Amino acid sequence: MARIHLAKFSNLNRKACSSRIPVSHSLATHQTVSNSIPPILQIEHVSKSYGRLQALSDTSFEVNPGEIFALLGPNGAGKTTLIGCITGLILRFTGSIRVAGHDVRRDARITRQLIGLVPQELNFDPFFNVEQVLHYQSGFYNVPPSQDKIETILRDFGLWEKRKANTRSLSGGMKRRLMICKALMHDPVLLFLDEPTAGVDVELRDELWKYVRRLKERGVTIFLTTHYLEEAEQLADRIGFIDQGSILLVHDREDLLNRFAQRWNRITLRHPVTDSLQATLERIGTQIADPHTVLINTDKTPSNPTSATLPLHTVLQEIQHHGNEIVHIDGGRNSLESIFREVLKTRVPEKHS
């Protein structure tokens, strides 16, 4: 994997843009000093409107160094507008955005050096070959082209054998990987992936996920926007929900699932449920899916996060008490999608400091 560096966050200036801490010191090093390192990205009360359209409304949250942060929202929720404000593509907005402590408007030359962007659309020149694309990309950031670095990055992303190939001849998966290579040429500490797997097949999606995980292992902070719930559930450390320009929720992924996901158990019976057993089970809060199947649901949603769990052994005792036999028990929890739908339905934003 390419040797990616993490900028020193304190007292960073233009000269320090080339002074970076090697991530090969491992994430364990980051964990030992995490208390002294401020957020890599701080967004405070950001609003952006286009005439009467309010694209962003008082948006505030933070992204921590070395994590994968996923911002989820339907089409038109404000995800791409927010990325435009952070990366300097949009300059007129209210509020403040800081990258590694630097204001994205006042210190634009510094913050753009710290940010890598992989947009939804392919944006390399189709008349260049793969190697030339990376050479020119280095020049855009005033980074002297390094053949060793280009070789390392292309090998890491499986493109070295295609280095002399015209970009028009690449497959869809190779083009996506080349987009990531471009964004890494100036060693960003914060990488934006805007809908990275939109419109790609399952095989390519899994391949891109693998590369994203490898980047995180090297210490790159990744800001992922997506409307694919499975993508966030597989990759993200923390997840934010955005809709109609407002941040509704920001939580650790596991905390989010543990607090709000609907857990269930399914019990398969040998004999059909009798009327007396059905009355007893419904009274204690279970569902009869069919004559041989009993469902136990635990609703923990944003609108009802503290519901009590019905003990499984209570249901099993009632089934045995009524003379039935248990053939099979399985269980699980609903996906992030059910939580997302519930959050959009309630639309009660959490307050963020």
Side-chain angles (χ1 to χ4, degrees):
M1 193 67 185
R3 185 179 181 81
I4 300 165
H5 296 77
L6 185 64
K8 294 181 179 180
F9 297 146
S10 59
N11 300 320
L12 186 66
N13 53 34
R14 297 188 184 186
K15 183 177 180 181
C17 285
S18 61
S19 175
R20 310 219 175 172
I21 301 173
V23 177
S24 55
H25 290 176
S26 85
L27 288 182
T29 303
H30 290 307
Q31 292 168 356
T32 61
V33 297
S34 60
N35 291 335
S36 62
I37 298 179
I40 184 71
L41 175 64
Q42 295 171 291
I43 299 171
E44 297 180 348
H45 307 294
V46 170
S47 296
K48 172 64 180 177
S49 61
Y50 297 95
R52 295 184 178 181
L53 175 62
Q54 191 72 37
L56 295 173
S57 179
D58 197 29
T59 299
S60 298
F61 64 93
E62 296 177 343
V63 176
N64 299 318
E67 73 174 355
I68 298 179
F69 181 89
L71 186 63
L72 305 182
N75 290 330
K79 302 186 297 296
T80 301
T81 298
L82 181 59
I83 286 184
C85 294
I86 299 168
T87 58
L89 299 175
I90 299 173
L91 298 177
R92 294 188 176 183
F93 60 85
T94 61
S96 70
I97 300 175
R98 293 188 296 277
V99 176
H102 292 268
D103 186 273
V104 296
R105 290 174 290 194
R106 186 178 60 250
D107 304 321
R109 290 178 65 87
I110 297 176
T111 59
R112 292 182 186 184
Q113 189 78 19
L114 299 174
I115 290 172
L117 173 61
V118 182
Q120 296 181 41
E121 300 83 10
L122 301 177
N123 64 358
F124 44 74
D125 195 314
F127 296 99
F128 292 151
N129 66 36
V130 169
E131 201 171 40
Q132 289 170 333
V133 166
L134 299 190
H135 270 284
Y136 283 113
Q137 183 69 17
S138 297
F140 294 149
Y141 288 88
N142 198 28
V143 176
S146 166
Q147 190 61 34
D148 290 341
K149 182 174 184 179
I150 290 175
E151 179 177 351
T152 300
I153 290 180
L154 290 179
R155 286 191 183 278
D156 287 338
F157 284 87
L159 292 173
W160 178 243
E161 300 303 321
K162 295 288 185 177
R163 63 189 181 280
K164 299 299 183 182
N166 189 284
T167 56
R168 288 176 294 181
S169 68
L170 300 180
S171 68
M174 290 178 179
K175 290 177 179 177
R176 290 283 182 175
R177 279 182 271 158
L178 181 55
M179 291 285 287
I180 299 177
C181 291
K182 277 187 59 184
L184 294 175
M185 280 303 296
H186 63 289
D187 291 333
V189 299
L190 178 59
L191 180 65
F192 287 88
L193 302 176
D194 191 6
E195 304 281 1
T197 60
V200 305
D201 58 34
V202 174
E203 184 177 356
L204 174 55
R205 180 203 66 183
D206 292 343
E207 186 178 83
L208 290 173
W209 286 1
K210 177 183 71 175
Y211 289 119
V212 170
R213 292 188 181 100
R214 289 174 65 185
L215 289 172
K216 182 197 171 183
E217 290 172 0
R218 294 288 179 137
V220 177
T221 304
I222 297 171
F223 190 113
L224 170 73
T225 70
T226 182
H227 59 267
Y228 294 129
L229 284 300
E230 183 185 2
E231 189 161 60
E233 191 166 0
Q234 290 291 324
L235 296 175
D237 299 302
R238 289 196 307 136
I239 294 171
F241 291 161
I242 186 171
D243 187 40
Q244 297 179 26
S246 297
I247 295 292
L248 305 181
L249 193 81
V250 175
H251 273 294
D252 290 343
R253 179 192 59 193
E254 286 305 312
D255 179 53
L256 190 66
L257 292 170
N258 288 334
R259 287 183 60 190
F260 299 137
Q262 185 182 68
R263 299 180 182 274
W264 54 269
N265 289 104
R266 179 169 52 219
I267 305 171
T268 304
L269 306 180
R270 186 171 302 279
H271 308 294
V273 176
T274 62
D275 291 342
S276 61
L277 176 57
Q278 179 173 345
T280 299
L281 293 178
E282 290 179 347
R283 187 177 66 252
I284 63 177
T286 63
Q287 302 175 21
I288 309 301
D290 60 56
H292 289 270
T293 307
V294 176
L295 290 177
I296 307 172
N297 290 323
T298 304
D299 292 323
K300 298 176 72 177
T301 66
S303 60
N304 185 23
T306 58
S307 58
T309 302
L310 179 65
L312 178 61
H313 68 81
T314 300
V315 179
L316 299 181
Q317 288 174 352
E318 291 294 343
I319 291 172
Q320 293 172 337
H321 178 73
H322 283 77
N324 212 321
E325 298 179 28
I326 297 167
V327 177
H328 181 69
I329 301 174
D330 63 353
R333 69 182 180 187
N334 287 0
S335 69
L336 189 63
E337 182 173 358
S338 62
I339 304 174
F340 184 59
R341 291 179 183 275
E342 181 71 17
V343 170
L344 292 183
K345 183 173 66 176
T346 57
R347 293 207 84 254
V348 180
E350 289 193 341
K351 294 183 178 180
H352 306 284
S353 57

